[in-house]
């Protein structure tokens, strides 16, 4: 009954064959041509009727098995019936879309790898997280969705500003953005060294604003000079015919709009200065949060080498907190793994790769799909621990070093005791 209901409602025949071995795919089984199908579309016939006519004009449809008929109907419905479903954006939908269409923008991060990052990073409401990503804002949006507007996120960005194209697709309310902060990556070293000041942030935008203002004054001077030249030219050519004067008036129409354009430029400069002031305040707030060095987690997913990023940003994370690093390739994370073991201050280091295979789940036809993803990236995860005790007590070293000390010292003590007992 289930397989019969899967067929189109307009289908009259229920006949089905028992074997597909005698069916030959020679391209001649369908009587309707592409021109006929196009003519049906031009007449405005619905997709269901087109599928029904394709079934009726197929000479091999009745000879196919019941499963083959269902497969044929689904294939034709997908091609000729346009079904648009509006869904609410989510992390899963956007990650699948980006991975299928533009994987380079998210560093080829698969959606199951992103889910592993959120789980290993312990992303939850009320956390204070640090994220450094160059995945078009997809990782940032996933963290904001998981936290639900509670807590704070500090995004470190390279270049002139953060890229949040994917974050904007989530459609978060303004309450979610109140806990989102941003801080330039090139100012992190000065923040760690204690040389960071508000002047370092205020110098750059003011310079750019002054350049814009100077450009605006230069443009105004140029326009006034052009107006003077044009007025002189009009006075000299006033004795020319009327046709020439009308041509000059038409050509001078854009100049009459210049005062409005000048006013809009001034408003634009003022609006940009206001935004720069707000951005400067947010940067100072982010610097204050980072200087506390008590973040609840760290997420790194960028196209840059992870080792210098992770070794620098771990100083802002509190002890007993998780960190996760994503990279498309394994070799940079191996180097980062060895550097962390040498540095210390971390435990439970794990380098992993998720393996994904999709399954088709249907009655009596459940099986893994033939095609699967070759790779979705690698993850390096671990937990931070306090390093003061390790530095103060030299006996608390790695297991390998303690074993070597025991091997070298114990036999020497036994050799000394042996001659004393014999004497």
């Amino acid at each position: 009954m289930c397989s019969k209901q899967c067929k189109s409602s307009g289908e009259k025949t229920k006949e089905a064959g028992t074997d597909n071995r005698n069916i030959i795919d020679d391209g001649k089984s369908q009587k309707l041509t592409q021109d006929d199908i196009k003519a049906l579309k031009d007449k405005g016939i619905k997709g269901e009727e087109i599928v029904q006519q394709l079934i009726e004009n197929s000479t091999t449809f009745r000879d196919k098995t019941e499963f083959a008929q269902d497969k044929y109907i689904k294939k034709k419905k997908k091609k000729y019936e346009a079904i648009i479903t509006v869904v609410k954006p989510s992390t899963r939908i956007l990650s699948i879309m980006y991975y299928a269409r533009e994987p380079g923008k998210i560093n080829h991060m698969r959606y199951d790898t992103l889910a592993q990052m959120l789980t290993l990073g312990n992303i939850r409401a009320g956390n204070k997280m640090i994220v450094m990503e160059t995945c078009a804002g997809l990782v940032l949006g996933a963290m904001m969705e998981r936290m639900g507007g509670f807590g704070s996120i500090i995004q470190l960005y390279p270049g002139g500003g953060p890229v949040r194209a994917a974050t904007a697709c989530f459609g978060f309310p303004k309450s979610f953005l109140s806990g989102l902060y941003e801080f330039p990556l090139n100012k992190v070293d000065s923040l760690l060294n204690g040389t960071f000041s508000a002047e370092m942030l205020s110098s750059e935008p003011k310079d750019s604003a002054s350049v814009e203002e100077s450009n605006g004054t230069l443009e105004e001077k140029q326009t006034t000079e052009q107006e003077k030249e044009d007025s002189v030219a009009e006075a000299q050519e006033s004795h020319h015919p009327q046709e020439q004067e009308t041509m000059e008036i038409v050509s001078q129409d854009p100049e009459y709009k210049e005062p409005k354009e000048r006013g809009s430029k001034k408003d634009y400069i003022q609006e940009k200065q206001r935004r720069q002031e707000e951005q400067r305040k947010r940067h100072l707030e982010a610097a204050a949060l980072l200087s506390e060095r008590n973040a609840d987690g760290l997420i790194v997913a960028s196209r840059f080498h992870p080792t210098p990023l992770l070794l620098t940003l771990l100083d802002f994370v509190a002890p007993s907190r998780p960190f996760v690093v994503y990279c498309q390739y394994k070799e940079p994370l191996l180097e980062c793994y060895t550097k962390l073991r040498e540095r210390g201050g971390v435990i439970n280091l794990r380098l992993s790769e998720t393996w994904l295979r999709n399954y088709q789940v249907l009655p009596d036809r459940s099986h893994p799909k033939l095609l699967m993803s070759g790779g979705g990236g690698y993850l390096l995860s671990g937990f931070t621990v306090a390093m003061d005790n390790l530095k103060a007590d030299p006996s608390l070293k790695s297991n390998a070093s303690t074993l070597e000390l025991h091997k070298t010292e114990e036999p020497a003590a036994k050799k000394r005791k042996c001659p004393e007992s014999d004497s």
Side-chain angles (χ1 to χ4, degrees), residues 310-375:
L310 183 61
L311 294 179
T312 303
L313 298 179
L314 278 179
D315 294 334
F316 297 108
V317 183
S320 301
R321 299 298 190 273
F323 63 90
V324 187
V325 185
Y326 167 82
C327 187
Q328 183 183 354
Y329 307 103
K330 180 173 59 176
E331 289 76 14
L333 291 181
L334 285 174
E335 181 181 348
C336 188
Y337 180 90
T338 55
K339 293 290 185 182
L340 286 174
R341 291 295 299 269
E342 295 173 0
R343 171 186 177 270
V346 293
I347 58 172
N348 197 20
L349 282 178
R350 187 177 67 170
L351 179 59
S352 61
E353 179 190 14
T354 54
W355 191 76
L356 178 68
R357 167 170 279 181
N358 294 320
Y359 278 76
Q360 172 183 296
V361 181
L362 291 172
D364 300 327
R365 287 172 289 167
S366 296
H367 60 81
K369 292 186 178 180
L370 299 178
L371 299 178
M372 62 177 291
S373 174

Side-chain angles (χ1 to χ4, degrees), residues 267-281:
D267 296 339
Y268 171 75
I269 293 172
Q270 292 176 356
E271 179 67 19
K272 192 169 185 180
Q273 289 177 350
R274 185 184 63 81
R275 290 180 180 178
Q276 287 173 351
E277 289 293 333
E278 293 180 356
Q279 185 180 14
R280 195 179 301 114
K281 291 180 182 178

Side-chain angles (χ1 to χ4, degrees), residues 376-407:
Y378 299 86
L379 294 177
L380 176 63
S381 60
F383 288 86
T384 59
V385 292
M387 295 181 62
D388 294 336
N389 296 331
L390 292 174
K391 292 180 179 179
D393 191 355
S395 62
L396 296 177
K397 296 181 180 179
S398 61
N399 295 331
S401 61
T402 53
L403 288 174
E404 289 177 359
L405 289 173
H406 286 299
K407 288 180 181 178

Side-chain angles (χ1 to χ4, degrees), residues 11 13 15-16 20 23-33 36-37 40 49-65 68-73 75-76 80:
E11 186 182 354
T13 178
E15 298 180 5
N20 292 332
I23 298 175
I24 301 173
D25 187 10
D26 54 359
K28 299 179 181 179
S29 60
Q30 182 57 248
K31 298 179 182 178
L32 291 179
T33 61
D36 298 336
I37 297 173
L40 293 175
E49 298 178 4
I50 294 176
V51 173
Q52 181 61 32
Q53 291 195 22
L54 288 172
I55 294 172
E56 293 174 356
N57 288 278
S58 177
T59 57
T60 59
F61 183 80
R62 294 184 179 181
D63 298 332
K64 294 181 179 181
T65 61
Q69 288 180 357
D70 292 342
K71 189 175 180 180
Y72 178 85
I73 292 171
K75 183 179 178 181
K76 297 303 178 184
Y80 295 106

Side-chain angles (χ1 to χ4, degrees), residues 95-110 134-135 138 326 328 375:
S95 59
I96 292 174
M97 184 271 293
Y98 267 99
Y99 187 76
R101 300 184 63 180
E102 297 174 329
K105 289 188 176 181
I106 58 172
N107 299 329
H108 297 267
M109 179 189 294
R110 206 167 51 202
T134 57
C135 300
L138 180 63
Y326 167 82
Q328 183 183 354

Side-chain angles (χ1 to χ4, degrees), residues 196-222:
F196 176 79
S197 62
E199 296 177 357
M200 300 177 66
L201 293 174
S202 61
S203 60
E204 296 178 359
K206 285 182 179 178
D207 293 339
S208 60
S210 61
V211 169
E212 289 179 356
E213 289 178 357
S214 62
N215 291 336
T217 54
L218 287 174
E219 287 177 358
E220 289 179 0
K221 290 180 181 179
Q222 289 177 357

Side-chain angles (χ1 to χ4, degrees), residues 256-270:
Y256 290 102
K257 297 179 182 179
E258 282 185 0
K260 294 182 180 179
E261 293 178 357
R262 289 179 208 158
S264 62
K265 287 178 182 178
K266 290 181 180 179
D267 296 339
Y268 171 75
I269 293 172
Q270 292 176 356

